[in-house]
Amino acid sequence: MKRLLDALLPPACPGCGREGKVVCERCLAHLARRRGEPAGVPLGLAVAQPAGLVQLEWCCAYSGPARACLHALKYDGELRLVEPLAEQMAARWARAGIGGDVLVPVPVHAARLRQRGFDQAELLARAAGRMLHLPVAQALERAAKTAAQHALSRRARAANVGGAFMVKPVQPNSIAGRWVVLVDDVVTTGATFSGCAQALYASGAAAVSGIALARER
Ligand SMILES: [Zn+2]
């Protein structure tokens, strides 16, 4: 019901509160900050390429409007944000992405899926897939309960996702021999992407890359 009412109300930009658009032009410019940058992880970043990924791309830092938009999407269920956010990801990938046969969303925890009723990474992947003309395979699932990542230290996070993901039994054909591009809303240490990559390679993926809307340092 709340979502139905929200859909009837004029949107307000989560980044600045301005009414009228789901995201205003100024906040969109923040989200597009890295659009023209060269591909790959810039030198001097504390965390380089996550293990197992041939390429990692993201659109902007996880701060300001990006953080506000993702909070509005995930916690307020403002699903009108899916299109503009996915458009940023598709534009960055179209500019910098190398290869890629299929988009695979990083699966949300089952408990959170039940609570929210949607998986933001899947929605972003489906919208970006349409824009990029790439198929989307919901090929991964979480293998076991993993503690909430944000509650753990950086090192504990890296260990926490080892073996945490598996390729769904019905999906190996969409993965074997394919170049997978993982899709998530935020990347922090890259440990989640690495955990997914491990499972995908075990199912015969030819290569694994990743795209996120925002990167948290
Ligand atoms: Zn704004």
Side-chain angles (χ1 to χ4, degrees):
M1 184 51 105
K2 182 187 176 293
R3 263 177 225 154
L4 184 65
L5 288 174
D6 284 348
L8 297 171
L9 293 170
C13 174
C16 62
R18 201 167 304 173
E19 283 192 0
K21 284 188 175 166
V22 177
V23 192
C24 78
E25 299 298 325
R26 204 197 262 173
C27 292
L28 267 183
H30 172 95
L31 300 179
R33 191 162 288 173
R34 301 193 71 249
R35 189 174 289 192
E37 286 190 16
V41 174
L43 290 176
L45 265 195
V47 179
Q49 198 91 302
L53 260 62
V54 296
Q55 185 181 8
L56 173 64
E57 292 299 334
W58 67 99
C59 304
C60 58
Y62 184 58
S63 60
R67 182 187 288 264
C69 285
L70 287 175
H71 274 238
L73 170 62
K74 283 153 70 168
Y75 307 119
D76 302 334
E78 177 47 279
L79 297 178
R80 288 176 291 189
L81 285 163
V82 168
E83 288 289 315
L85 300 186
E87 202 222 315
Q88 295 299 323
M89 297 166 78
R92 177 63 188 153
W93 190 256
R95 151 98 194 178
I98 298 152
D101 302 319
V102 59
L103 301 183
V104 173
V106 172
V108 75
H109 289 269
R112 257 170 247 163
L113 180 60
R114 276 196 301 276
Q115 187 187 4
R116 275 177 209 162
F118 62 90
D119 178 341
Q120 72 279 354
E122 188 204 341
L123 296 179
L124 291 169
R126 294 211 179 277
R130 273 198 310 277
M131 296 165 193
L132 291 165
H133 308 290
L134 282 174
V136 177
Q138 237 188 312
L140 289 168
E141 59 189 357
R142 289 188 182 253
K145 249 186 197 165
T146 48
Q149 289 286 305
H150 58 80
L152 299 172
S153 71
R154 247 178 142 78
R155 186 177 298 180
R157 261 187 239 186
N160 188 44
V161 293
F165 298 94
M166 51 192 279
V167 172
K168 292 179 185 173
V170 293
Q171 289 282 358
N173 293 339
S174 57
I175 298 307
R178 314 287 289 281
W179 188 333
V180 173
V181 182
L182 286 164
V183 177
D184 208 354
D185 51 347
V186 183
V187 56
T188 305
T189 61
T192 301
F193 274 158
S194 291
C196 290
Q198 209 179 314
L200 292 164
Y201 285 124
S203 286
V208 181
S209 304
I211 173 94
L213 178 76
R215 181 155 197 182
E216 188 174 31
R217 312 252 158 91

